Amino acid sequence: EKIVKKIKNKDVTLGSLVKYRFPKYGDEALNEPPVIIGAGPAGLFCAYMLAKTGFAPILLERGEAVEERQKKVDHFWSTGELDLNSNVQFGEGGAGTFSDGKLNTLVKDNHGRSRFVLKTFVEFGANDDILYESKPHIGTDILVDVVRNMRNAIIQMGGEIKFNSQVTDLRITDGEVCGVEINRDQWIETKTVVLAIGHSARDTFHMLLERNVPMRSKAFAVGVRMEHPQSLINENQYGKDYPRSLPAAAYKLTRKVADERGVYSFCMCPGGYVVNASSEKEMTAVNGMSYNARAGENANSAMIISVRPEDFGSDEPLAGVEFQRKLERAAYKEGKGKIPVQLFGDFCKNQVSTSLGEIRPNTKGAWTFGNIRSIFPEHLSAGLEEGIKGCEKLIPGFSREDALLLGVESRTSSPVRIERDNDNLQSEIAGIYPCGEGAGYAGGIMSAAMDGIKVAEAIALKFKPCYDK
């Protein structure tokens, strides 16, 4: 405190660490184990907290355990043969497993949940530098081990995890959930269901809508992955003669374009790869991924533009899902099943590229040239062009003609919000707890994990376990 006073700098403040505390049990008897749907960050942390406190949850995941999932993903990237239930979007660890593993969040945290999540990651295998770096990341290669170790801990503490177990229906009686169906042939009785389903569980969204679970469409953003030489970003951030020992540099950019839409960078991956992240037949979606070392020759980031419910052409709750699908079908067509790639100069001219400049695509999954501009409604393409050109003022060389655009980045966040009460975190249908990014309450690994903890707290505040574990 004395040092801070001596510095007399308004940008320096004294921080404090809040020790996280899980609440004590509630009074209501819980006679069946809680069921958690989805083993992404929200579902894993919800299951971990409930198992740690004696609730013996059942965690259901439509995809495979992370070891088998890794094999399916590698097979898809090398052959183009997609497994619809075990891929970059679905499987243990969720979509975040095949990403940069960034752990920064803008969520305000007065309860110590954020620090608890970071310490838990370290406990299960992440490098301890995430506890003090301003922009911590784990990396896909390490995340795989962390996820597996969390799974083993949940099982050791009495939880149960069922893979290849897609929830295909809910049983709802008198406004209260009382069971879930797995793979259309098995029912589990429960009165506590956590919907940590992820932002790509489109068939599950449809099932929930049929069961009258309240939800609505919401704004999100779509765009492209953009690749530059990592050396360009390093020189801009560190200076031309920067020490080569410095880590691969990141950036964060935002612009406002003519029609008041925001264009901004998202999920920036220093030294990373652009990956084919598709999860449905004849649709192409991309994402960014980095290994822990961030040693790739290119930097990539999503460059995205905001879209609103009025852009969807319908006021149906799943109109945003159909908007995403339309873009992904167009991207698949442009790339003939491969990742479509276009030089930025050709994007501006609305023409298919025929050759590369100095930058080569750094991808997981095959690529080919295509006209990415044609994928979007023209007002969105024009907005992206304007926004990317505007970023030239911030990073000279950012709008260079041979910068690469890869499409389509459509899964930035959930297009749906599954409604829940602000106090008890339940849906209007008693016993249903919408949770995490897919339900519309998070936007990345950290915020999803923290929301999973919040939902576990809500369950514990209400119930005490009264069943054989």
Side-chain angles (χ1 to χ4, degrees):
E1 188 172 352
K2 292 180 180 179
I3 293 174
V4 172
K5 288 180 179 179
K6 285 182 179 180
I7 293 174
K8 295 181 181 179
N9 187 328
K10 293 180 180 179
D11 295 328
V12 178
T13 58
L14 185 66
S16 60
L17 289 178
V18 178
K19 185 174 181 179
Y20 174 73
R21 287 181 172 82
F22 195 77
K24 296 180 179 179
Y25 290 153
D27 296 324
E28 188 174 334
L30 186 63
N31 296 314
E32 301 107 359
V35 171
I36 301 163
I37 305 172
L44 275 174
F45 270 85
C46 187
Y48 177 71
M49 300 309 296
L50 291 177
K52 191 179 179 74
T53 51
F55 280 89
I58 300 172
L59 178 57
L60 304 177
E61 170 54 53
R62 70 190 294 167
E64 295 175 309
V66 70
E67 302 94 331
E68 296 305 314
R69 181 189 180 199
Q70 177 77 68
K71 296 175 185 176
K72 291 289 179 67
V73 169
D74 289 340
H75 180 76
F76 170 58
W77 285 339
S78 63
T79 67
E81 296 176 2
L82 176 66
D83 187 307
L84 295 178
N85 284 317
S86 196
N87 48 56
V88 175
Q89 304 294 343
F90 300 141
E92 187 181 25
T97 302
F98 296 98
S99 70
D100 187 58
K102 282 178 285 295
L103 302 178
N104 48 301
T105 178
L106 299 178
V107 174
K108 292 183 179 179
D109 178 30
N110 299 320
H111 299 86
R113 297 187 189 102
S114 177
R115 183 75 176 177
F116 178 83
V117 170
L118 293 173
K119 290 177 70 175
T120 301
F121 280 136
V122 171
E123 179 184 349
F124 291 117
N127 295 337
D128 61 6
D129 57 13
I130 67 173
L131 296 175
Y132 55 81
E133 286 191 345
S134 63
K135 294 182 179 180
H137 86 112
I138 296 180
T140 288
D141 44 341
I142 294 178
L143 263 172
V144 169
D145 293 331
V146 171
V147 168
R148 182 180 60 248
N149 292 338
M150 281 196 74
R151 174 223 306 165
N152 292 335
I154 291 168
I155 293 171
Q156 289 170 4
M157 293 186 296
E160 183 179 2
I161 302 179
K162 294 177 177 287
F163 297 110
N164 300 301
S165 298
Q166 182 181 356
V167 172
T168 47
D169 204 356
L170 297 179
R171 183 178 291 135
I172 298 169
T173 303
D174 298 328
E176 182 178 8
V177 69
C178 54
V180 300
E181 181 190 59
I182 303 174
N183 299 334
R184 304 197 183 282
D185 66 1
Q186 178 188 355
W187 283 90
I188 297 176
E189 291 185 5
T190 182
K191 291 188 177 181
T192 308
V193 176
V194 178
L195 296 177
I197 58 178
H199 60 34
S200 295
R202 294 164 173 174
D203 46 5
T204 307
F205 289 143
H206 278 279
M207 180 273 288
L208 296 172
L209 188 62
E210 290 175 359
R211 291 289 166 262
N212 297 314
V213 176
M215 64 179 73
R216 59 181 171 86
S217 65
K218 71 174 188 65
F220 56 104
V222 298
V224 296
R225 278 276 150 184
M226 191 167 187
E227 288 195 275
H228 298 89
Q230 183 62 53
S231 58
L232 171 72
I233 308 304
N234 290 348
E235 287 182 10
N236 177 266
Q237 301 292 60
Y238 297 143
K240 192 170 183 63
D241 298 321
Y242 69 93
R244 293 319 190 252
S245 59
L246 289 174
Y251 61 80
K252 185 175 182 180
L253 303 171
T254 181
R255 308 297 293 174
K256 185 169 283 189
V257 296
D259 65 352
E260 296 300 305
R261 293 177 192 267
V263 173
Y264 54 98
S265 62
F266 173 79
C267 188
M268 193 268 159
C269 296
Y273 298 83
V274 178
V275 306
N276 191 330
S278 306
S279 62
E280 292 187 283
K281 289 182 179 179
E282 298 185 357
M283 300 185 205
T284 298
V286 296
N287 194 12
M289 183 188 89
S290 293
Y291 295 119
N292 181 261
R294 289 177 164 175
E297 62 184 17
N298 289 351
N300 78 74
S301 175
M303 290 301 296
I304 52 179
I305 186 167
S306 57
V307 292
R308 312 154 182 152
E310 53 264 34
D311 293 315
F312 306 155
S314 168
D315 58 1
E316 293 294 318
L318 300 184
V321 170
E322 295 311 312
F323 184 84
Q324 289 176 323
R325 280 174 163 162
K326 184 177 181 180
L327 298 182
E328 291 171 18
R329 290 189 188 101
Y332 184 92
K333 183 177 179 181
E334 276 301 309
K336 300 178 179 61
K338 300 177 182 179
I339 300 172
V341 174
Q342 186 175 31
L343 276 65
F344 180 62
D346 291 324
F347 178 86
C348 297
K349 297 172 185 175
N350 197 20
Q351 65 186 25
V352 177
S353 300
T354 56
S355 62
L356 298 170
E358 295 180 4
I359 311 168
R360 295 197 60 81
N362 212 14
T363 67
K364 294 289 186 178
W367 66 271
T368 189
F369 289 122
N371 187 358
I372 288 178
R373 192 180 190 104
S374 69
I375 293 171
F376 303 97
E378 178 52 29
H379 67 285
L380 297 184
S381 292
L384 285 168
E385 178 183 345
E386 180 185 349
I388 290 169
K389 287 181 175 178
C391 291
E392 182 71 21
K393 300 174 183 177
L394 305 173
I395 300 180
F398 193 81
S399 63
R400 57 191 282 176
E401 289 204 348
D402 68 342
L404 300 179
L405 306 186
L406 301 88
V408 59
E409 178 89 24
S410 52
R411 314 277 184 97
T412 56
S413 63
S414 181
V416 173
R417 174 157 290 142
I418 305 174
E419 304 285 6
R420 73 184 188 190
D421 181 87
N422 288 332
D423 295 325
N424 61 33
L425 307 188
Q426 288 187 69
S427 165
E428 287 180 9
I429 299 173
I432 290 180
Y433 292 82
C435 180
E437 187 164 353
Y441 298 96
I445 292 173
M446 283 297 292
S447 56
M450 292 163 66
D451 200 58
I453 293 173
K454 282 178 63 178
V455 169
E457 292 168 1
I459 292 170
L461 282 167
K462 181 177 176 63
F463 297 109
K464 56 184 177 182
C466 294
Y467 45 86
D468 292 332
K469 300 184 285 295

